[in-house]
Amino acid sequence: MTVVLIAIACGLAAVLYGLITSRQVLAASAGSEKMINIAGAIQEGAKAYLGRQYTTIAIVGVVVAVLVWLFLGVTSAIGFVLGSVLSGAAGYIGMNISVRANVRTAEAARSGLQRGLTVAFRAGAITGMLVAGLALLAISVFFYVLVEGLGHGPTDRVVVDALVALAFGASLISIFARLGGGIFTKAADVGADLVGKVEAGIPEDDPRNPAVIADNVGDNVGDCAGMAADLFETYVVTVGATMVLIALLVAGTTEQLTSLMSLPLIIGGVCILTSIIGTYFVRLGGNQSIMGALYKGFWTTAILSIPALYYVTTQTLGDMNAVIGGAQEAAGFDIDPTVAATAVTDGFTGMDLFWCMMVGLGVTGLLVWITEYYTGTNYRPVRSIARSSETGHGTNVIQGLAVSLESTAMPTIVICVGIIVSYQLAGLIGIAFAATSMLALAGMVVALDAYGPVTDNAGGIAEMAGMEDEVRGRTDALDAVGNTTKAVTKGYAIGSAALGALVLFGAYTTDLDRYFADVAVDFSLSNPYVVVGLLLGALLPYLFGAMGMTAVGRAAGNVVIDVRDQFRSNSGIMDGTSRPNYARTVDLVTKAAIREMIVPSLLPVLAPIVVYFVITAVAGQANGFAALGALLLGVIVSGLFVAISMTSGGGAWDNAKKFIEDGNHGGKGSEAHKAAVTGDTVGDPYKDTAGPAVNPMIKITNIVALLLLAALAAGGPAI
Amino acid sequence: MTVVLIAIACGLAAVLYGLITSRQVLAASAGSEKMINIAGAIQEGAKAYLGRQYTTIAIVGVVVAVLVWLFLGVTSAIGFVLGSVLSGAAGYIGMNISVRANVRTAEAARSGLQRGLTVAFRAGAITGMLVAGLALLAISVFFYVLVEGLGHGPTDRVVVDALVALAFGASLISIFARLGGGIFTKAADVGADLVGKVEAGIPEDDPRNPAVIADNVGDNVGDCAGMAADLFETYVVTVGATMVLIALLVAGTTEQLTSLMSLPLIIGGVCILTSIIGTYFVRLGGNQSIMGALYKGFWTTAILSIPALYYVTTQTLGDMNAVIGGAQEAAGFDIDPTVAATAVTDGFTGMDLFWCMMVGLGVTGLLVWITEYYTGTNYRPVRSIARSSETGHGTNVIQGLAVSLESTAMPTIVICVGIIVSYQLAGLIGIAFAATSMLALAGMVVALDAYGPVTDNAGGIAEMAGMEDEVRGRTDALDAVGNTTKAVTKGYAIGSAALGALVLFGAYTTDLDRYFADVAVDFSLSNPYVVVGLLLGALLPYLFGAMGMTAVGRAAGNVVIDVRDQFRSNSGIMDGTSRPNYARTVDLVTKAAIREMIVPSLLPVLAPIVVYFVITAVAGQANGFAALGALLLGVIVSGLFVAISMTSGGGAWDNAKKFIEDGNHGGKGSEAHKAAVTGDTVGDPYKDTAGPAVNPMIKITNIVALLLLAALAAGGPAI
């Protein structure tokens, strides 16, 4: 268990990095009193929103925790609570830093681009490291206590179930946070734009717009807290599921299995260290390229991780060429030999696992590059949207939709190649390790993403506080890059979510075989219940997406009505003589977002349960399990496309607008620009609400299925 | 074989109906010389386009025919040619009637709404009956000649392969016709709107717009010829695949199997008769509701079909409660007992099959109703889009996209319930019969659809010829309904295509078992090659959709440039003193559409072949077959969602615009109307190019896979 202790130490290092860097960020000047006031309003709004969001989730959480306790016992319930509390904490702390760093970034931008970049990126890095660190700590401490402290065997059912429950806790928070935050941010953004830019004709971030503070709050609760919860969840789920799969599938002595099960933890640990090192490489080069500076950090981390992963794998497993695994027969579970054979082929070596990790890093790099291609202003897709804006709103949207559909192709092919190669190397376990090494970079990737809302806010504060044009220019430059990093992170998040979900699906089929060996489940595609399951699973992201988009539309409509009312009842606002009631708008969006997030969030929790019981009632338990399994895969397959097309398409629309604003196709104010603004508005809920919320949705469906199996096996409400 | 002869007689009745009704339609007056001239230009354009389209397809077709001959023998090659020629003929004749009926409808509208409706609907009915009649004749005559004439057993491999090749011929035409026609119609439509309505500020169908004839040509080659080829194909594929499945799966004497195999043919035959009767019920009632008149025809057909189907089933099978089928063992094929068991459970009775047909009719009725709900101006979805147009272009598009995503839910659930019920009744064969009875209504459904372009053209001609406002009002009323019927037909087409494709997929798995009994194919969802196949299959509709949308954008851009050039070089056009060069624009769109249709059409033909060979090279033939099978199902699952969301969403956008034009939310010319025009433009390539072309794409992928199996089994290029 030494390895686990080292992983715990790495997790603590991340937290320590967070503490030290927080001090550095907070030590920077927060600027003038006006700036402090504006930032204060944003802080207040963000806190109020997250407070209310977590209170609502807590009510759902307590109910679910009791259910977990009743069906799966106290250890699982503790895992569930741990997962949800730490996921919430990562988001909350990240948001807290973010709303303090925004104003400091604006102030630092006075003294130059590099200063502004440093403050903003450090703030992002704090969130990033906390996400990776707390996630790693959650699993590794929990695993250590269960195995070393309470003396359970590493592959005991109580340990496996508890790890799944831990992931469930994180997932449940994540789907609410992603969706609630996503609705908040886009309702405020779209609403503010509609009533401000379009109706009143005032610029973005104009302090006269009552929705402007809500818009800035939204950046923090959506892109920062929401993304943090999302990747915390993917991390816990993927690493946890990898450990569970090892426990279920691999044959070996307790000692061997303990080593192998701690390998994912140390992979996470060592990559935290390389991520921390990477953060120090984020510096402007001679060409003053901000994106270049950020990528320097990312690529440093990725490249340093190669030898680091090799080293920890050797240290953990010893001989890299010794064959491990093979079908598990000794460990006491009743695994169907064909399942085990599919899963682990002929055993694998440490070297095989290392290559699988390289596949994970490769997939990460390629997904980053592909997303950059589809959302960057230098390439064909964005430029084609910009060009088509010249012929009007309609052609802009048509081209944007075409790009969004097309953008699914290369990521899918990369993921398929990743699946095939890692499977050839080490079976299902190989896929699991590829996913784990992908997630191991989460600290750095979240850092890039969380940088976005900080700079976005910094720009808003600079505008509202009436800072000099030069400063505004710098914050704009920092912000423009934030758009790309946000898009890139989303590409990474959905790619890793899909692989993570496949690992979960592997756990489902294995678990099924373990708990219900006597039920002959026909997972074959020629079983019509499998087809029905695939269809219903594929439907979920569509329905979920529709609900998310409609929610944004409805909530944004409320914002428009509120702002119109403020303009009407207080004529001093437009003259600049009277301050709008920012808090009223924030409160309104808060209530709307909380209200709108409930039903869609419950969809993926309830769908697997309903489908299982309905199909079981109609066609027996074996077909119920088959349909449920197919539903899981249907969600993954369809969700991948829905999420990629929405996030890439939205990013492309956004940057097509930016490209025109940079003076192309007539520049700001031209007809092409108006069309591009329409495209950007359409892309907003696509890329920031519906698309990203599909990630946690995919996984929660899979986790609920795993828990359902465990509950049924434990004598739950079987039919 | 008497039953087959009766089916042939029914097919001939449809052709006879076409001949007689053509005479009636052509006997009507074609109006003034001006009208005849305009109609002449449309006729010329449509003929020129279809001529060039068929020439291009013929080149591909000859190559493919030779390949089919080489790999599968002369009988299959004849089947292929027969399928493609008849599919082309159905489209060509339909278009020919349509471009003559348009001007006669405009003229007839002078004497009243009922007269206009009669001419337009009869023209549609000719196309509808020819599609169903020729499709039925193709299969039944071919089957009769092979079995009765050449003495093959009904389940002989040469018969099975020939039926698949027949379907392939129809499919290959269909994908080109659908896509080429779809690109033509929307490139002309979008291009004409952009440069006419938006830039020059002249109304739709204004004779000064050089693209106006191309726009009217597009209606005929897209909605009439394209849809005809599509449903001809679905009909042949579904009925053919049902017969193939019976041959492969059901045990019985040759006599029993011949009866059962001719049942799908007589189902098609009797429903042609009920469809013909239904056409005579299309009459305006007291409320002057045009939609009501059309639905009267549809529901009459549907309801008359119930006793008719019961009667022919009893007559064909004899005792309705005798058990037929059960796993086939006697017929000499080496069917894996588990496959056969999944397929036919415990045998089925004639009564079971009758109930499956009722499921097919029920699914048809529900899909029609659901599409009407999502695209009709009387219901929430369209109204929500209209309302959101008030806040601008962006919110219109957001709400439209939300509706398009949501509109997939109810059809999916209906299809799932249909699958489950018919499977419970009679296994895979039950699903096949449900699909067959759905398709049996194709004659009536195509009639409703082909009515659309006739009235659309009639409105255009009335406008261009400067007919009285009263007449224009009538043609507008006829046209408005055409939008809904076109949407409804598309919902039906994709639903039936999905069920038909599932039947094809069943044929694939069965065929695999028959030809490659020694290859242990693991179709289980836990096989990663199945996951890879599902992902790649799901990708195809996305990529195909992207290509279709981009093609429209590009071709529409060419139209804009051409029209701008005509306006510039001939200033008399805008004054009305000089006639624009319509033919030049038609020719340009023709060339663009032909050029753009090639690559996307080859995607579904080549993808299954590439995936099979690549995966076989990497992971062996068993996994190659598994990945290929999964690819097929991936295309079906993902294609269903892409197609429904696009066609329903597009229809909803279109009618939201109509709803505003009817005087709601500010009416014509308001800001809301402008936003709604944007939504309509976006919806155009969605609903008329990319969405509907997914149908033939789904099936051609499946048919290519079946042919690949046959070719490999016949000693083709195996690895």
mmCIF file with all atom_site columns, all heavy atoms in Angstrom, chain A residues 285-303:
data_model
loop_
_atom_site.group_PDB
_atom_site.id
_atom_site.type_symbol
_atom_site.label_atom_id
_atom_site.label_alt_id
_atom_site.label_comp_id
_atom_site.label_asym_id
_atom_site.label_entity_id
_atom_site.label_seq_id
_atom_site.pdbx_PDB_ins_code
_atom_site.Cartn_x
_atom_site.Cartn_y
_atom_site.Cartn_z
_atom_site.occupancy
_atom_site.B_iso_or_equiv
_atom_site.pdbx_formal_charge
_atom_site.auth_seq_id
_atom_site.auth_comp_id
_atom_site.auth_asym_id
_atom_site.auth_atom_id
_atom_site.pdbx_PDB_model_num
ATOM 1   N N   . GLY A 1 285 ? 5.930  34.085 -24.755 1.00 0.00 ? 285 GLY A N   1
ATOM 2   C CA  . GLY A 1 285 ? 7.201  34.043 -25.477 1.00 0.00 ? 285 GLY A CA  1
ATOM 3   C C   . GLY A 1 285 ? 7.445  35.355 -26.195 1.00 0.00 ? 285 GLY A C   1
ATOM 4   O O   . GLY A 1 285 ? 6.735  36.347 -25.960 1.00 0.00 ? 285 GLY A O   1
ATOM 5   N N   . GLY A 1 286 ? 8.422  35.343 -27.084 1.00 0.00 ? 286 GLY A N   1
ATOM 6   C CA  . GLY A 1 286 ? 8.758  36.570 -27.808 1.00 0.00 ? 286 GLY A CA  1
ATOM 7   C C   . GLY A 1 286 ? 7.605  37.053 -28.681 1.00 0.00 ? 286 GLY A C   1
ATOM 8   O O   . GLY A 1 286 ? 7.425  38.252 -28.885 1.00 0.00 ? 286 GLY A O   1
ATOM 9   N N   . ASN A 1 287 ? 6.762  36.107 -29.175 1.00 0.00 ? 287 ASN A N   1
ATOM 10  C CA  . ASN A 1 287 ? 5.677  36.509 -30.066 1.00 0.00 ? 287 ASN A CA  1
ATOM 11  C C   . ASN A 1 287 ? 4.435  36.985 -29.326 1.00 0.00 ? 287 ASN A C   1
ATOM 12  O O   . ASN A 1 287 ? 3.421  37.276 -29.936 1.00 0.00 ? 287 ASN A O   1
ATOM 13  C CB  . ASN A 1 287 ? 5.323  35.349 -31.017 1.00 0.00 ? 287 ASN A CB  1
ATOM 14  C CG  . ASN A 1 287 ? 4.858  34.133 -30.232 1.00 0.00 ? 287 ASN A CG  1
ATOM 15  O OD1 . ASN A 1 287 ? 4.834  34.153 -28.993 1.00 0.00 ? 287 ASN A OD1 1
ATOM 16  N ND2 . ASN A 1 287 ? 4.499  33.083 -30.941 1.00 0.00 ? 287 ASN A ND2 1
ATOM 17  N N   . GLN A 1 288 ? 4.524  37.035 -27.985 1.00 0.00 ? 288 GLN A N   1
ATOM 18  C CA  . GLN A 1 288 ? 3.408  37.510 -27.159 1.00 0.00 ? 288 GLN A CA  1
ATOM 19  C C   . GLN A 1 288 ? 2.123  36.714 -27.386 1.00 0.00 ? 288 GLN A C   1
ATOM 20  O O   . GLN A 1 288 ? 1.023  37.228 -27.176 1.00 0.00 ? 288 GLN A O   1
ATOM 21  C CB  . GLN A 1 288 ? 3.135  39.014 -27.424 1.00 0.00 ? 288 GLN A CB  1
ATOM 22  C CG  . GLN A 1 288 ? 4.275  39.923 -26.990 1.00 0.00 ? 288 GLN A CG  1
ATOM 23  C CD  . GLN A 1 288 ? 4.307  40.103 -25.477 1.00 0.00 ? 288 GLN A CD  1
ATOM 24  O OE1 . GLN A 1 288 ? 3.345  40.499 -24.863 1.00 0.00 ? 288 GLN A OE1 1
ATOM 25  N NE2 . GLN A 1 288 ? 5.440  39.765 -24.868 1.00 0.00 ? 288 GLN A NE2 1
ATOM 26  N N   . SER A 1 289 ? 2.251  35.449 -27.811 1.00 0.00 ? 289 SER A N   1
ATOM 27  C CA  . SER A 1 289 ? 1.048  34.646 -28.048 1.00 0.00 ? 289 SER A CA  1
ATOM 28  C C   . SER A 1 289 ? 0.539  34.067 -26.730 1.00 0.00 ? 289 SER A C   1
ATOM 29  O O   . SER A 1 289 ? 1.236  33.275 -26.076 1.00 0.00 ? 289 SER A O   1
ATOM 30  C CB  . SER A 1 289 ? 1.359  33.522 -29.029 1.00 0.00 ? 289 SER A CB  1
ATOM 31  O OG  . SER A 1 289 ? 0.427  32.476 -28.864 1.00 0.00 ? 289 SER A OG  1
ATOM 32  N N   . ILE A 1 290 ? -0.680 34.480 -26.359 1.00 0.00 ? 290 ILE A N   1
ATOM 33  C CA  . ILE A 1 290 ? -1.244 33.987 -25.096 1.00 0.00 ? 290 ILE A CA  1
ATOM 34  C C   . ILE A 1 290 ? -1.565 32.504 -25.204 1.00 0.00 ? 290 ILE A C   1
ATOM 35  O O   . ILE A 1 290 ? -1.275 31.709 -24.315 1.00 0.00 ? 290 ILE A O   1
ATOM 36  C CB  . ILE A 1 290 ? -2.511 34.783 -24.747 1.00 0.00 ? 290 ILE A CB  1
ATOM 37  C CG1 . ILE A 1 290 ? -2.164 36.274 -24.701 1.00 0.00 ? 290 ILE A CG1 1
ATOM 38  C CG2 . ILE A 1 290 ? -3.080 34.322 -23.428 1.00 0.00 ? 290 ILE A CG2 1
ATOM 39  C CD1 . ILE A 1 290 ? -3.378 37.155 -24.596 1.00 0.00 ? 290 ILE A CD1 1
ATOM 40  N N   . MET A 1 291 ? -2.170 32.131 -26.360 1.00 0.00 ? 291 MET A N   1
ATOM 41  C CA  . MET A 1 291 ? -2.509 30.718 -26.560 1.00 0.00 ? 291 MET A CA  1
ATOM 42  C C   . MET A 1 291 ? -1.230 29.887 -26.508 1.00 0.00 ? 291 MET A C   1
ATOM 43  O O   . MET A 1 291 ? -1.216 28.792 -25.926 1.00 0.00 ? 291 MET A O   1
ATOM 44  C CB  . MET A 1 291 ? -3.197 30.563 -27.925 1.00 0.00 ? 291 MET A CB  1
ATOM 45  C CG  . MET A 1 291 ? -3.981 29.292 -28.081 1.00 0.00 ? 291 MET A CG  1
ATOM 46  S SD  . MET A 1 291 ? -5.423 29.201 -26.993 1.00 0.00 ? 291 MET A SD  1
ATOM 47  C CE  . MET A 1 291 ? -5.274 27.504 -26.445 1.00 0.00 ? 291 MET A CE  1
ATOM 48  N N   . GLY A 1 292 ? -0.163 30.431 -27.129 1.00 0.00 ? 292 GLY A N   1
ATOM 49  C CA  . GLY A 1 292 ? 1.122  29.730 -27.111 1.00 0.00 ? 292 GLY A CA  1
ATOM 50  C C   . GLY A 1 292 ? 1.610  29.513 -25.688 1.00 0.00 ? 292 GLY A C   1
ATOM 51  O O   . GLY A 1 292 ? 2.096  28.434 -25.346 1.00 0.00 ? 292 GLY A O   1
ATOM 52  N N   . ALA A 1 293 ? 1.450  30.543 -24.856 1.00 0.00 ? 293 ALA A N   1
ATOM 53  C CA  . ALA A 1 293 ? 1.890  30.428 -23.471 1.00 0.00 ? 293 ALA A CA  1
ATOM 54  C C   . ALA A 1 293 ? 1.129  29.322 -22.752 1.00 0.00 ? 293 ALA A C   1
ATOM 55  O O   . ALA A 1 293 ? 1.711  28.492 -22.042 1.00 0.00 ? 293 ALA A O   1
ATOM 56  C CB  . ALA A 1 293 ? 1.681  31.762 -22.755 1.00 0.00 ? 293 ALA A CB  1
ATOM 57  N N   . LEU A 1 294 ? -0.194 29.297 -22.951 1.00 0.00 ? 294 LEU A N   1
ATOM 58  C CA  . LEU A 1 294 ? -0.996 28.277 -22.277 1.00 0.00 ? 294 LEU A CA  1
ATOM 59  C C   . LEU A 1 294 ? -0.648 26.875 -22.789 1.00 0.00 ? 294 LEU A C   1
ATOM 60  O O   . LEU A 1 294 ? -0.514 25.931 -22.013 1.00 0.00 ? 294 LEU A O   1
ATOM 61  C CB  . LEU A 1 294 ? -2.487 28.568 -22.499 1.00 0.00 ? 294 LEU A CB  1
ATOM 62  C CG  . LEU A 1 294 ? -3.009 29.853 -21.839 1.00 0.00 ? 294 LEU A CG  1
ATOM 63  C CD1 . LEU A 1 294 ? -4.429 30.155 -22.286 1.00 0.00 ? 294 LEU A CD1 1
ATOM 64  C CD2 . LEU A 1 294 ? -2.955 29.735 -20.324 1.00 0.00 ? 294 LEU A CD2 1
ATOM 65  N N   . TYR A 1 295 ? -0.507 26.772 -24.117 1.00 0.00 ? 295 TYR A N   1
ATOM 66  C CA  . TYR A 1 295 ? -0.162 25.461 -24.673 1.00 0.00 ? 295 TYR A CA  1
ATOM 67  C C   . TYR A 1 295 ? 1.205  24.992 -24.188 1.00 0.00 ? 295 TYR A C   1
ATOM 68  O O   . TYR A 1 295 ? 1.440  23.795 -24.031 1.00 0.00 ? 295 TYR A O   1
ATOM 69  C CB  . TYR A 1 295 ? -0.191 25.503 -26.208 1.00 0.00 ? 295 TYR A CB  1
ATOM 70  C CG  . TYR A 1 295 ? -1.575 25.267 -26.784 1.00 0.00 ? 295 TYR A CG  1
ATOM 71  C CD1 . TYR A 1 295 ? -1.949 25.813 -28.013 1.00 0.00 ? 295 TYR A CD1 1
ATOM 72  C CD2 . TYR A 1 295 ? -2.503 24.476 -26.125 1.00 0.00 ? 295 TYR A CD2 1
ATOM 73  C CE1 . TYR A 1 295 ? -3.210 25.598 -28.545 1.00 0.00 ? 295 TYR A CE1 1
ATOM 74  C CE2 . TYR A 1 295 ? -3.766 24.262 -26.652 1.00 0.00 ? 295 TYR A CE2 1
ATOM 75  C CZ  . TYR A 1 295 ? -4.115 24.822 -27.863 1.00 0.00 ? 295 TYR A CZ  1
ATOM 76  O OH  . TYR A 1 295 ? -5.362 24.604 -28.392 1.00 0.00 ? 295 TYR A OH  1
ATOM 77  N N   . LYS A 1 296 ? 2.112  25.956 -23.971 1.00 0.00 ? 296 LYS A N   1
ATOM 78  C CA  . LYS A 1 296 ? 3.430  25.574 -23.445 1.00 0.00 ? 296 LYS A CA  1
ATOM 79  C C   . LYS A 1 296 ? 3.258  24.786 -22.149 1.00 0.00 ? 296 LYS A C   1
ATOM 80  O O   . LYS A 1 296 ? 3.896  23.761 -21.932 1.00 0.00 ? 296 LYS A O   1
ATOM 81  C CB  . LYS A 1 296 ? 4.262  26.834 -23.201 1.00 0.00 ? 296 LYS A CB  1
ATOM 82  C CG  . LYS A 1 296 ? 5.574  26.866 -23.973 1.00 0.00 ? 296 LYS A CG  1
ATOM 83  C CD  . LYS A 1 296 ? 6.414  28.063 -23.580 1.00 0.00 ? 296 LYS A CD  1
ATOM 84  C CE  . LYS A 1 296 ? 6.002  29.331 -24.322 1.00 0.00 ? 296 LYS A CE  1
ATOM 85  N NZ  . LYS A 1 296 ? 6.624  30.555 -23.802 1.00 0.00 ? 296 LYS A NZ  1
ATOM 86  N N   . GLY A 1 297 ? 2.384  25.302 -21.280 1.00 0.00 ? 297 GLY A N   1
ATOM 87  C CA  . GLY A 1 297 ? 2.127  24.594 -20.035 1.00 0.00 ? 297 GLY A CA  1
ATOM 88  C C   . GLY A 1 297 ? 1.538  23.214 -20.284 1.00 0.00 ? 297 GLY A C   1
ATOM 89  O O   . GLY A 1 297 ? 1.985  22.214 -19.707 1.00 0.00 ? 297 GLY A O   1
ATOM 90  N N   . PHE A 1 298 ? 0.568  23.157 -21.190 1.00 0.00 ? 298 PHE A N   1
ATOM 91  C CA  . PHE A 1 298 ? -0.099 21.889 -21.448 1.00 0.00 ? 298 PHE A CA  1
ATOM 92  C C   . PHE A 1 298 ? 0.862  20.849 -22.023 1.00 0.00 ? 298 PHE A C   1
ATOM 93  O O   . PHE A 1 298 ? 0.937  19.709 -21.551 1.00 0.00 ? 298 PHE A O   1
ATOM 94  C CB  . PHE A 1 298 ? -1.280 22.108 -22.415 1.00 0.00 ? 298 PHE A CB  1
ATOM 95  C CG  . PHE A 1 298 ? -1.916 20.834 -22.875 1.00 0.00 ? 298 PHE A CG  1
ATOM 96  C CD1 . PHE A 1 298 ? -2.751 20.130 -22.030 1.00 0.00 ? 298 PHE A CD1 1
ATOM 97  C CD2 . PHE A 1 298 ? -1.658 20.331 -24.144 1.00 0.00 ? 298 PHE A CD2 1
ATOM 98  C CE1 . PHE A 1 298 ? -3.339 18.948 -22.443 1.00 0.00 ? 298 PHE A CE1 1
ATOM 99  C CE2 . PHE A 1 298 ? -2.237 19.139 -24.560 1.00 0.00 ? 298 PHE A CE2 1
ATOM 100 C CZ  . PHE A 1 298 ? -3.071 18.450 -23.706 1.00 0.00 ? 298 PHE A CZ  1
ATOM 101 N N   . TRP A 1 299 ? 1.631  21.264 -23.042 1.00 0.00 ? 299 TRP A N   1
ATOM 102 C CA  . TRP A 1 299 ? 2.517  20.287 -23.682 1.00 0.00 ? 299 TRP A CA  1
ATOM 103 C C   . TRP A 1 299 ? 3.660  19.880 -22.762 1.00 0.00 ? 299 TRP A C   1
ATOM 104 O O   . TRP A 1 299 ? 4.103  18.730 -22.787 1.00 0.00 ? 299 TRP A O   1
ATOM 105 C CB  . TRP A 1 299 ? 3.041  20.821 -25.023 1.00 0.00 ? 299 TRP A CB  1
ATOM 106 C CG  . TRP A 1 299 ? 1.956  20.914 -26.062 1.00 0.00 ? 299 TRP A CG  1
ATOM 107 C CD1 . TRP A 1 299 ? 1.459  22.039 -26.642 1.00 0.00 ? 299 TRP A CD1 1
ATOM 108 C CD2 . TRP A 1 299 ? 1.203  19.820 -26.618 1.00 0.00 ? 299 TRP A CD2 1
ATOM 109 N NE1 . TRP A 1 299 ? 0.449  21.732 -27.523 1.00 0.00 ? 299 TRP A NE1 1
ATOM 110 C CE2 . TRP A 1 299 ? 0.258  20.376 -27.534 1.00 0.00 ? 299 TRP A CE2 1
ATOM 111 C CE3 . TRP A 1 299 ? 1.203  18.434 -26.427 1.00 0.00 ? 299 TRP A CE3 1
ATOM 112 C CZ2 . TRP A 1 299 ? -0.648 19.601 -28.255 1.00 0.00 ? 299 TRP A CZ2 1
ATOM 113 C CZ3 . TRP A 1 299 ? 0.298  17.663 -27.158 1.00 0.00 ? 299 TRP A CZ3 1
ATOM 114 C CH2 . TRP A 1 299 ? -0.607 18.248 -28.049 1.00 0.00 ? 299 TRP A CH2 1
ATOM 115 N N   . THR A 1 300 ? 4.131  20.830 -21.933 1.00 0.00 ? 300 THR A N   1
ATOM 116 C CA  . THR A 1 300 ? 5.162  20.454 -20.956 1.00 0.00 ? 300 THR A CA  1
ATOM 117 C C   . THR A 1 300 ? 4.641  19.335 -20.065 1.00 0.00 ? 300 THR A C   1
ATOM 118 O O   . THR A 1 300 ? 5.301  18.307 -19.853 1.00 0.00 ? 300 THR A O   1
ATOM 119 C CB  . THR A 1 300 ? 5.530  21.672 -20.089 1.00 0.00 ? 300 THR A CB  1
ATOM 120 O OG1 . THR A 1 300 ? 5.938  22.733 -20.937 1.00 0.00 ? 300 THR A OG1 1
ATOM 121 C CG2 . THR A 1 300 ? 6.645  21.327 -19.121 1.00 0.00 ? 300 THR A CG2 1
ATOM 122 N N   . THR A 1 301 ? 3.427  19.531 -19.556 1.00 0.00 ? 301 THR A N   1
ATOM 123 C CA  . THR A 1 301 ? 2.827  18.506 -18.699 1.00 0.00 ? 301 THR A CA  1
ATOM 124 C C   . THR A 1 301 ? 2.710  17.179 -19.447 1.00 0.00 ? 301 THR A C   1
ATOM 125 O O   . THR A 1 301 ? 3.083  16.123 -18.939 1.00 0.00 ? 301 THR A O   1
ATOM 126 C CB  . THR A 1 301 ? 1.430  18.964 -18.242 1.00 0.00 ? 301 THR A CB  1
ATOM 127 O OG1 . THR A 1 301 ? 1.581  20.177 -17.526 1.00 0.00 ? 301 THR A OG1 1
ATOM 128 C CG2 . THR A 1 301 ? 0.775  17.926 -17.363 1.00 0.00 ? 301 THR A CG2 1
ATOM 129 N N   . ALA A 1 302 ? 2.182  17.244 -20.674 1.00 0.00 ? 302 ALA A N   1
ATOM 130 C CA  . ALA A 1 302 ? 1.957  16.013 -21.429 1.00 0.00 ? 302 ALA A CA  1
ATOM 131 C C   . ALA A 1 302 ? 3.269  15.279 -21.679 1.00 0.00 ? 302 ALA A C   1
ATOM 132 O O   . ALA A 1 302 ? 3.371  14.061 -21.482 1.00 0.00 ? 302 ALA A O   1
ATOM 133 C CB  . ALA A 1 302 ? 1.259  16.334 -22.747 1.00 0.00 ? 302 ALA A CB  1
ATOM 134 N N   . ILE A 1 303 ? 4.298  16.020 -22.069 1.00 0.00 ? 303 ILE A N   1
ATOM 135 C CA  . ILE A 1 303 ? 5.558  15.362 -22.410 1.00 0.00 ? 303 ILE A CA  1
ATOM 136 C C   . ILE A 1 303 ? 6.274  14.850 -21.166 1.00 0.00 ? 303 ILE A C   1
ATOM 137 O O   . ILE A 1 303 ? 6.790  13.724 -21.155 1.00 0.00 ? 303 ILE A O   1
ATOM 138 C CB  . ILE A 1 303 ? 6.444  16.322 -23.245 1.00 0.00 ? 303 ILE A CB  1
ATOM 139 C CG1 . ILE A 1 303 ? 5.786  16.491 -24.624 1.00 0.00 ? 303 ILE A CG1 1
ATOM 140 C CG2 . ILE A 1 303 ? 7.864  15.786 -23.392 1.00 0.00 ? 303 ILE A CG2 1
ATOM 141 C CD1 . ILE A 1 303 ? 6.320  17.639 -25.434 1.00 0.00 ? 303 ILE A CD1 1
#
